[in-house]
Amino acid sequence: MAWKTLDDMDLAGKVVLTRVDINVPVADGKVTDATRIERIKPTIDDILEKGGKPVLLAHFGRPKGQVVPEMSLGLIKDAVSDVLGVPVKFASDCIGGPAKEGVAELGEGEVLLLENTRFHEGETKNDGQFAASLAALGDVYVNDAFSAAHRAHGSTEGVAKLLPSCAGRLMQAELSALEAALSTPERPVVAVVGGAKVSTKLDLLGNLVRKVDYLVIGGGMANTFLAAEGVDVGKSLCEHDLADTAREIIKKADEAGCEIVLPVDVVIAREFKANAENEVVPVTECPADAMIFDAGPKSVERISEIIAGAKTLIMNGPLGVFELEPFGKGTFAMIEKIAEQTKAGALVSVAGGGDTVASINASGHGADFTYISTAGGAFLEWMEGKELPGVVALG
């Protein structure tokens, strides 16, 4: 890895500016899911153990450079303290007097949470003066927010260039997992890409066909590829106007030696609702008045065979409408196979993206993948082969 980690830094007696993602859901003044706070705990524990004083930089919502009271990080200070298990103080601004006073008064074994960085326009504009004001507060900068690393913001890129910098434990785990999956993978490599639309994942598909041995396409995206190959997909979700694009991706895959795997049989129904009357048909026999909701058993069997022979797998999207019974069978059977191979030590499996994480959790296999990323946009941009400003700045 080209970036430093906490193991490379002397933190004793130093103020450690730590960029974290604690943009958690809140309802009625209570944090409803503390997962993001829990994931920063190893980094904060390490900083404290090394004698450093953690000062947390974070955003909360999208206040667009304005002070919005309901987007104040003060609302979640107690939740952060409860999860970290240490006293957490709060400063009413992330720069200037309140921040400086908070840092000056920070005691050993305590954490300081600074107010929402996005209350300042300089954050999203990556203003040099704003970044310098942040940097003036600390001695060392740690980025533990991979999920915000695709943003060139003051607290993710600007400040990293002004202080000795390194990756936190969560950032380190994320980057290590992604390096293992795409940069230096054991082969064969399989990518599973699902979701509604090809148009949202063009860069991703274009990058993956050059990097993987098998590209399994599911969900509404598969319908677009099937239609491009002359298959009648009935009333299914399909971007018919992207037929030429789909054929171009198939051509690139052929040239790169990547096999694109599309359904050979499908589960169809005529109503978009749970437990709608359904049947399995060969992919070439979808009735004109029906919709494809899931991959069929023969398709899943083929995908499972490919997973059984793979060494590395990346998953970004389900095979069907897993949220509706019984149209999650294909996705859940595939996840079951991925989990089985991973637990047997035969497969490195990395997954990310909102629907992907939801489908894995719904299957009950949330703990059975090598790594599950909650980073959303940053995970997708990494898979697309794009440079992430927050990561580059640590180099």
Side-chain angles (χ1 to χ4, degrees), residues 15 17 22 54-58 60 67 69 71-78 80 87-106 110-120 134 137:
V15 175
L17 287 182
I22 48 176
V55 175
L56 308 186
L57 300 171
F60 193 48
V67 174
M71 294 182 191
S72 170
L73 281 164
L75 298 171
I76 67 166
K77 176 183 83 76
D78 292 342
V80 174
V88 174
K89 293 181 171 179
F90 180 70
S92 60
D93 201 347
C94 62
I95 57 173
K100 289 176 183 173
E101 287 166 26
V103 171
E105 294 169 7
L106 191 59
E110 295 179 334
V111 172
L112 176 64
L113 173 61
L114 301 182
E115 183 56 285
N116 195 337
T117 56
R118 290 187 184 172
F119 280 1
H120 293 269
L134 291 175
L137 299 170

Side-chain angles (χ1 to χ4, degrees), residues 326-339:
F327 306 115
K329 282 182 181 174
T331 299
F332 295 150
M334 177 185 70
I335 291 171
E336 179 84 35
K337 187 65 180 178
I338 296 169

Side-chain angles (χ1 to χ4, degrees), residues 53-385:
K53 296 180 176 181
V55 175
L56 308 186
L57 300 171
H59 71 278
F60 193 48
R62 293 184 177 177
K64 298 180 179 177
Q66 305 293 316
V67 174
V68 181
E70 54 268 32
M71 294 182 191
S72 170
L73 281 164
L75 298 171
I76 67 166
K77 176 183 83 76
D78 292 342
V80 174
S81 181
D82 289 344
V83 172
L84 297 183
V86 294
V88 174
K89 293 181 171 179
F90 180 70
S92 60
D93 201 347
C94 62
I95 57 173
K100 289 176 183 173
E101 287 166 26
V103 171
E105 294 169 7
L106 191 59
E108 200 174 313
E110 295 179 334
V111 172
L112 176 64
L113 173 61
L114 301 182
E115 183 56 285
N116 195 337
T117 56
R118 290 187 184 172
F119 280 1
H120 293 269
E121 275 192 353
E123 164 69 329
T124 54
K125 289 182 176 177
N126 200 6
D127 176 75
Q129 197 171 336
F130 175 74
S133 297
L134 291 175
L137 299 170
D139 305 303
V140 174
Y141 172 76
V142 174
N143 194 338
D144 210 30
F146 178 79
S147 54
H150 59 313
R151 311 279 188 207
H153 288 179
S155 68
T156 59
E157 186 196 39
V159 70
K161 295 178 175 178
L162 302 174
L163 290 173
S165 303
C166 74
R169 295 305 183 201
L170 178 58
M171 173 78 92
Q172 181 185 349
E174 191 97 36
L175 293 174
S176 299
L178 294 176
E179 284 266 303
L182 266 190
S183 301
T184 54
E186 266 200 84
R187 296 192 174 274
V189 185
V190 180
V192 177
V193 181
K197 296 182 175 182
V198 171
S199 54
T200 61
K201 296 189 177 178
L202 286 175
D203 289 345
L204 172 63
L205 296 170
N207 187 45
L208 287 179
V209 293
R210 299 193 304 268
K211 298 275 185 85
V212 306
D213 302 295
Y214 297 92
L215 176 58
V216 177
I217 300 178
M221 294 174 64
N223 301 334
T224 301
F225 278 83
L226 290 167
E229 294 194 324
V231 175
D232 186 351
V233 295
K235 290 185 175 179
S236 306
L237 177 67
C238 179
E239 293 175 288
H240 292 283
D241 57 323
L242 286 180
D244 286 344
T245 304
R247 284 190 283 267
E248 185 62 29
I249 290 169
I250 292 169
K251 185 184 170 196
K252 282 181 184 172
D254 283 343
E255 290 167 357
C258 167
E259 181 183 332
I260 289 185
V261 182
L262 294 169
V264 292
D265 61 343
V266 289
V267 183
I268 60 157
R270 288 165 176 81
E271 293 179 280
F272 188 84
K273 68 175 188 180
N275 299 307
E277 195 173 315
N278 62 87
E279 60 181 311
V280 176
V281 298
V283 74
T284 52
E285 295 177 22
C286 176
D289 63 342
M291 294 172 279
I292 297 170
F293 284 162
D294 195 9
K298 286 183 181 173
S299 302
V300 175
E301 191 178 328
R302 169 71 179 131
I303 293 166
S304 294
E305 285 171 3
I306 291 168
I307 293 168
K311 293 289 186 187
T312 307
L313 180 139
I314 309 154
M315 179 179 170
N316 180 249
L319 295 181
V321 190
F322 74 92
E323 308 93 330
L324 297 182
E325 281 283 344
F327 306 115
K329 282 182 181 174
T331 299
F332 295 150
M334 177 185 70
I335 291 171
E336 179 84 35
K337 187 65 180 178
I338 296 169
E340 176 190 304
Q341 291 296 105
T342 304
K343 286 193 286 186
L347 184 69
V348 171
S349 54
V350 177
D355 282 349
T356 312
V357 176
S359 67
I360 293 169
N361 288 338
S363 75
H365 287 291
D368 299 330
F369 277 59
T370 306
Y371 191 81
I372 295 178
S373 170
T374 56
F379 177 82
L380 198 56
E381 289 198 19
W382 179 283
M383 286 181 67
E384 289 169 355

